[in-house]
Amino acid sequence: MPTLPDLLFYALAGFTLLFGFLCVANPFSRNPVTSAMFLVLTIISMAGLFVLLQAFFLAAVQVLVYAGAVMVLFLFVIMLLDIKEEERRRLNKAALGIGGVAVLAIAGLLVRALVQATPLASAAGQRAEGSTKPLGRLLFTEYLLPFEILSVLLLVAMVGVILLSKKEMK
Amino acid sequence: MDFIRYLDPTVQFMLFSAVKIVLVFAVAMTGVAYAVLVERKVSAWIQDRVGPNRAAPFFVHYLPVVGPFLTKLGIFQPMADGLKFILKEDFTPSYVRKIYFWIAPAISCVPALMTLAVIPFGSTLGNANNPMVIADLNVGILYTFGIVSLGVYGIVLAGYASNSKYPFLGGIRSSAQMISYEIAMGMSVVSVFLVVGDLNLSKVVAYQSGGIHEWLIFKQPLAFFIFLVSAFAETNRLPFDLPESETELVGGYHTEYSSMKFALFFLGEYAAMIGASAMMVTLFLGGWTPIWGGAPASSLLVGLSHIVWFLAKLGFFMVLFIWVRWMLPRFRYDQLMNLGWRRFIPLALVNIIITAGLIALTHK
């Protein structure tokens, strides 16, 4: 008999896939705001999956950063644009095909990795679980270089935005 | 009540949690209703008026002295208001986007109530295994910020769904405002957690126990100030109520709403105020700890007194919210953005660096 976490996992995974599908190819509405809201729901379902893995920190940050900040900005931009044109456009068949191929390729890679992988039980100590302390320690010792490179990347993006928006002030 | 002891621990936990959820919800709802009354009374006193002093059910008339006194205080006004909201016509304009128009009020009030789940509102009621907090999460503060950040969708979607000019402007304003102040707010608490060394809100309260001199408001005054002002912006209260701004946007994001849907926005705003006040009490005013001592309660009576302490501090912040609303004029939009991005975020960063430096120097 499946336990409660199992049931929750299947429910949340199902929601993630369903909302993700409705985000990119909603048959009922071509409204970009609706797509954005389904993306928010996808993100929240994924946060639920993180909670099931005891990764509370990741779940909270997922909701805080993606659902609470990034998607609000998306919505802000969508609402300021003229979206009537987008609503009229039909589903692009070629894009759907290419997207399907990409999804299949990634799914193939994942399945291959799963088949080749050894059981995870031995790696239990390595997981950056609920508490933020092990996560912070790992980030500032073992993964310090990638962490710093990522922050430089964000800085570059930030400087770029400032440059672009200040263009008219010669 | 003896049968509780023979229950399975899981069942016991679920039972206690359910009771706590119902109680917190009931207290928060009553708090919202009476916060509205306090708002009306305080505004009346500040403007030299009398405020609500008529509403009363018929039997109050027969009570000597007490009856007229309560009526004058407006104690029965919230019930009349609630009844009015339910009985008014729920009008949906023909040009709105129906689905969003219906879910926006709910989205604006659910997150505000959910933040209360991680607030420790008391120590114990004598039994150490049953702390007075609904969910004692290790990442308590991040949960709160995550949920609070979802509250903006209610306002943005209301603006979008109404499909008319003024609500739309209100929604756009609120999305920019809430995001910018969330950053300042989040950064201001980083220094608090540097001092405490834990994200769990119960640990934050435990750190501050031992008397008024241990409260973090005295150790992190700058963080407290930034958090307080950001809380005003997050809850859309004056001087930062630009999404609503009745003098320029009619009613802002809720212009097209009526009846109970409007009441839900109202409820969401006051529930968000209660949530923000509870956060400030927990983070900076020692949570449920009294101004002297503060060991977890070992008897029912002490436990109840801790809850009263918490509610008293909460009430202080609620009155502050209301008082400020009627004392300060509204900020202009560019001033609001300037204050958030160019004053508070750098200030909060400096505060983090100084705090971290001091800790690094003294912590060996």
Side-chain angles (χ1 to χ4, degrees), chain B residues 265-283:
Chain B
F265 281 119
F266 218 65
L267 198 153
E269 181 184 325
Y270 282 87
M273 272 162 69
I274 293 181
S277 305
M279 284 300 298
M280 284 188 278
V281 169
T282 310
L283 290 175

Side-chain angles (χ1 to χ4, degrees), chain A residues 31 34 40 57 67 71 76 79, chain B residues 100 142 149 153 160 168 175:
Chain A
N31 186 341
T34 308
V40 173
F57 178 75
M71 286 315 294
F76 181 79
M79 280 166 67
Chain B
Y100 291 125
L142 285 173
S149 68
Y153 283 112
Y160 173 72
F168 183 76
S175 62

